[in-house]
Amino acid sequence: MNKKLLIIENIEYSLYYDLNNSLQESYGRLYGIQEHYNDNIIIHELTPNDKDYQKTSYIKPYRKMQKALEIIKSKIYDAFGSNYRIEVGIKNRYINKTNQKNIQEEKNEFMIIYFIYSNNLDEMLITQTIIKNDLTLKDINSILEIVESDNNSLINKKISISSDKKYDLIFNPYSSGTFFHEIIGHILEEDNFEFSKVSEKKLICPKNINIYENYNCNQMEDDVGGKIYSNIPLIINGNLTHTLSSGNYQTEEYDKIPIPRMRSMYIYSTCSENISSNDNSIFIEDILYAECNYYTGDITLFVNKAYSISNNNISYLYPFTIMFNVLYFNEFLVFMDNKKELHKRLCCKNGSIITVDFISSNLKILWNNYITLQGV
């Protein structure tokens, strides 16, 4: 007997300037249903002939997106000049989910995306995706700051990281949230944790680190009907207290099966410290992605924007990797300040992409022999 599980409407509406500086518009709607049949999930697209098919109530936010896009485009063209080829756009991503109890969940967010190419298009120099809940003046100004940072990273001379030098690592709130999401969040997801050597340990983080999941979450059920518990204490004073199991099975596409996902983390230190630098520090602004062997605990973080300071001179760095084993993370000396920020980013797991968010602050990791840095 079929049991309706989930109906998902996914709409993407985009305004963007292509490489010829021509304004383009695109619209797409994916609409489908998932059903449980015994232990299997049956997935099919909804069409106007299906009884569950409904017309969308979505209204294109054209004026809001156009106004914001013109401001951002002007800043990008002023910053990067005529030496590069540029694509820039804003995508509105609307998701509407209805489960078997007819409980509805909506998400509406904006993605600012731009690509910077060399003039002859033989190399992509910058790819950037920024996620916002809205396009207010405050949101736009924060986007312009990232554009400026990307421009500084591109136009200034870069140096390669020295794998023989011992650096302290300083992460801004965005990259520190990404750091903890990748090295702790994914490992504690139920389907990864049961195969991980981390499951044999109690103390898995430095003793000053605390991590909560589903922070201030107001949803009642996940996408398979599991109860969502808010403010789950995953790590308290470095100790593992909970993993992520029932209640966090999520998907944002009708043709992707719900799986355990870290969605909303809150990371803080028991003892807040001022984060200071020295001549052996690297400032990390963006981690592009990470690779993790969940069984062994081996972690590789791919850093695509960072710089070092020596004698008051900033040296931007070519992309590099940070490698270590999370089984030894509890032995690291780490410090965090109290300058907490909320950030969002895309996360891909098993081919399923969702938006995740985290609240974190500046993080400093003192150099130790468990860490390996390597240029790419």
Side-chain angles (χ1 to χ4, degrees):
M1 182 177 184
N2 285 353
K3 177 184 178 183
K4 184 197 301 182
L5 174 66
L6 194 65
I7 298 177
I8 301 182
E9 177 187 26
N10 192 314
I11 293 175
E12 292 187 352
Y13 170 63
S14 299
L15 285 177
Y16 62 97
Y17 281 93
D18 61 20
L19 288 170
N20 296 317
N21 196 22
S22 176
L23 182 63
Q24 306 290 334
E25 184 177 11
S26 68
Y27 173 87
R29 184 190 190 203
L30 295 175
Y31 191 33
I33 190 170
Q34 297 183 358
E35 295 177 344
H36 270 162
Y37 184 75
N38 295 330
D39 293 329
N40 298 318
I41 293 181
I42 297 175
I43 297 171
H44 64 85
E45 185 177 0
L46 288 173
T47 69
N49 295 324
D50 292 300
K51 61 181 178 62
D52 293 306
Y53 182 86
Q54 295 179 2
K55 292 183 179 180
T56 182
S57 59
Y58 175 81
I59 299 175
K60 297 178 183 178
Y62 179 85
R63 291 183 180 276
K64 176 187 287 189
M65 291 173 61
Q66 184 187 38
K67 184 176 180 180
L69 180 58
E70 293 301 327
I71 296 172
I72 296 166
K73 170 180 174 283
S74 177
K75 174 66 175 180
I76 289 176
Y77 274 73
D78 287 345
F80 294 96
S82 59
N83 296 323
Y84 306 98
R85 301 289 296 278
I86 297 168
E87 288 181 297
V88 54
I90 299 178
K91 177 188 295 183
N92 181 223
R93 188 165 178 257
Y94 172 78
I95 299 168
N96 188 351
K97 297 192 287 189
T98 306
N99 68 11
Q100 69 269 23
K101 295 182 180 179
N102 208 33
I103 297 175
Q104 192 175 48
E105 176 194 351
E106 288 185 288
K107 176 186 283 189
N108 197 348
E109 59 195 10
F110 296 90
M111 297 182 181
I112 296 82
I113 304 168
Y114 56 86
F115 304 98
I116 311 297
Y117 302 88
S118 59
N119 229 333
N120 56 8
L121 299 179
D122 64 346
E123 185 180 3
M124 181 182 289
L125 303 171
I126 290 177
T127 174
Q128 182 65 266
T129 301
I130 307 163
I131 303 172
K132 297 291 184 182
N133 288 331
D134 205 346
L135 294 174
T136 65
L137 183 59
K138 181 179 179 180
D139 294 315
I140 293 172
N141 285 335
S142 69
I143 295 165
L144 300 184
E145 290 176 3
I146 295 173
V147 171
E148 188 66 33
S149 173
D150 280 344
N151 181 50
N152 289 335
S153 177
L154 180 62
I155 66 175
N156 284 284
K157 182 180 179 180
K158 291 186 176 67
I159 62 173
S160 296
I161 198 165
S162 172
S163 57
D164 298 326
K165 192 173 180 180
K166 299 178 180 180
Y167 298 95
D168 294 337
L169 304 176
I170 299 177
F171 301 76
N172 65 9
Y174 177 68
S175 60
S176 74
T178 303
F179 175 87
F180 283 108
H181 175 88
E182 296 290 354
I183 75 160
I184 299 297
H186 280 305
I187 285 181
L188 296 189
E189 291 166 341
E190 181 181 47
D191 51 345
N192 295 328
F193 184 76
E194 62 179 330
F195 300 108
S196 175
K197 288 187 176 181
V198 174
S199 62
E200 303 170 4
K201 296 175 67 69
K202 180 66 176 175
L203 184 68
I204 67 172
C205 287
K207 291 184 178 181
N208 59 320
I209 296 300
N210 304 274
I211 302 176
Y212 286 79
E213 169 59 13
N214 292 340
Y215 186 67
N216 288 343
C217 178
N218 55 14
Q219 288 178 243
M220 301 299 293
E221 294 185 352
D222 67 8
D223 290 341
V224 296
K227 181 179 179 180
I228 294 179
Y229 296 91
S230 63
N231 302 326
I232 301 173
L234 301 176
I235 306 293
I236 299 296
N237 296 328
N239 289 291
L240 174 63
T241 58
H242 291 84
T243 58
L244 196 66
S245 52
S246 61
N248 275 67
Y249 278 69
Q250 301 282 349
T251 184
E252 293 183 353
E253 301 164 279
Y254 79 87
D255 57 347
K256 299 293 190 300
I257 295 173
I259 54 177
R261 305 299 294 263
M262 289 285 171
R263 294 285 299 271
S264 183
M265 294 179 70
Y266 173 50
I267 308 110
Y268 72 95
S269 173
T270 305
C271 302
S272 177
E273 305 275 352
N274 290 324
I275 302 300
S276 59
S277 63
N278 54 48
D279 278 353
N280 293 318
S281 296
I282 291 177
F283 293 79
I284 296 169
E285 295 188 333
D286 191 16
I287 298 170
L288 186 61
Y289 65 95
E291 292 180 353
C292 178
N293 184 319
Y294 300 115
Y295 175 69
T296 65
D298 290 317
I299 300 282
T300 302
L301 300 167
F302 292 81
V303 177
N304 66 323
K305 190 162 67 171
Y307 59 91
S308 63
I309 295 181
S310 179
N311 297 323
N312 293 322
N313 293 319
I314 294 178
S315 297
Y316 285 87
L317 301 172
Y318 285 112
F320 64 94
T321 59
I322 304 171
M323 294 173 283
F324 62 92
N325 191 298
V326 74
L327 294 176
Y328 303 106
F329 184 54
N330 63 327
E331 300 182 34
F332 286 24
L333 288 176
V334 306
F335 307 93
M336 300 186 76
D337 63 19
N338 199 35
K339 299 176 182 178
K340 300 179 181 68
E341 295 180 7
L342 169 65
H343 288 281
K344 293 176 174 288
R345 71 173 297 148
L346 295 177
C347 176
C348 181
K349 177 182 176 183
N350 298 348
S352 177
I353 299 175
I354 68 170
T355 305
V356 299
D357 59 62
F358 36 74
I359 296 175
S360 190
S361 56
N362 295 299
L363 166 73
K364 183 174 184 178
I365 299 177
L366 298 187
W367 175 259
N368 61 68
N369 290 327
Y370 294 119
I371 298 173
T372 300
L373 305 180
Q374 184 175 309
V376 295

